[in-house]
Amino acid sequence: MAKAENKTKPEPVDPAAMIAAVEHPQRRADAEVLLPFFTRVTGWPAQMWGPAIVGFGRYHYKYDSGREGDFLITGFSPRKSYTSVYILPGYRDLSEPLSRLGKVKHGKSCLNINKLADIDMDVLEELVRDGVAYMKANYTTAAR
């Protein structure tokens, strides 16, 4: 049986061009802040993953089932209703820093932010750095 290919993979699109095309003015303005923020915090260049996710770094995973692939370590996506910020891995207890972050909805590995003014950017930096450090310590990682 053929292995399923990841739907979200690196694309040769300029992240700044994608951000410039975001229609919602708040999402576009926040993305213009997040692009240099993630570049500074991670030390990695931005890479588009699919048509709408700006990713930083990549890691290789392999499941017990044999499925394996690469995925972004961290990043963001300016969605229509909110900006998603991806913090991997999402299955650890991050309740303490999340309690200090501000107004945000979150799932296992993403934060859904209405606007950056609602959150503490220093705490976001703490979360991103923590996620990157964990991924580097536990997976094979690369800048691209």
Side-chain angles (χ1 to χ4, degrees), residues 4-13 47-55 58 61 69-72:
E5 191 174 311
N6 284 343
K7 292 179 183 176
T8 305
K9 55 189 175 184
E11 300 289 342
V13 176
Q47 168 76 52
M48 290 301 301
W49 286 76
I53 299 174
V54 181
R58 94 171 44 204
Y61 61 87
D70 293 315
F71 199 65
L72 62 109

Side-chain angles (χ1 to χ4, degrees), residues 36-86:
F37 169 86
F38 273 93
T39 302
R40 177 184 60 78
V41 172
T42 67
W44 294 322
Q47 168 76 52
M48 290 301 301
W49 286 76
I53 299 174
V54 181
F56 296 82
R58 94 171 44 204
Y59 74 101
H60 187 77
Y61 61 87
K62 185 172 184 177
Y63 298 137
D64 290 339
S65 67
R67 180 181 168 99
E68 62 183 288
D70 293 315
F71 199 65
L72 62 109
I73 292 175
T74 191
F76 66 93
S77 180
R79 304 287 184 188
K80 204 170 215 172
S81 301
Y82 50 81
T83 296
S84 287
V85 172
Y86 303 98

Side-chain angles (χ1 to χ4, degrees), residues 101-118:
L101 183 59
K103 186 178 175 184
V104 62
K105 293 181 181 178
H106 60 86
K108 290 291 184 187
S109 62
C110 69
L111 307 171
N112 296 325
I113 302 165
N114 186 40
K115 58 185 178 293
L116 292 182
D118 291 341

Side-chain angles (χ1 to χ4, degrees), residues 93-143:
D93 180 11
L94 298 172
S95 56
E96 193 283 321
L98 286 173
S99 72
R100 295 183 285 114
L101 183 59
K103 186 178 175 184
V104 62
K105 293 181 181 178
H106 60 86
K108 290 291 184 187
S109 62
C110 69
L111 307 171
N112 296 325
I113 302 165
N114 186 40
K115 58 185 178 293
L116 292 182
D118 291 341
I119 66 166
D120 184 326
M121 292 298 288
D122 291 335
V123 177
L124 181 60
E125 181 172 337
E126 180 183 331
L127 287 163
V128 171
R129 287 187 187 280
D130 177 75
V132 169
Y134 180 90
M135 298 304 286
K136 283 181 173 180
N138 292 282
Y139 292 88
T140 301
T141 62

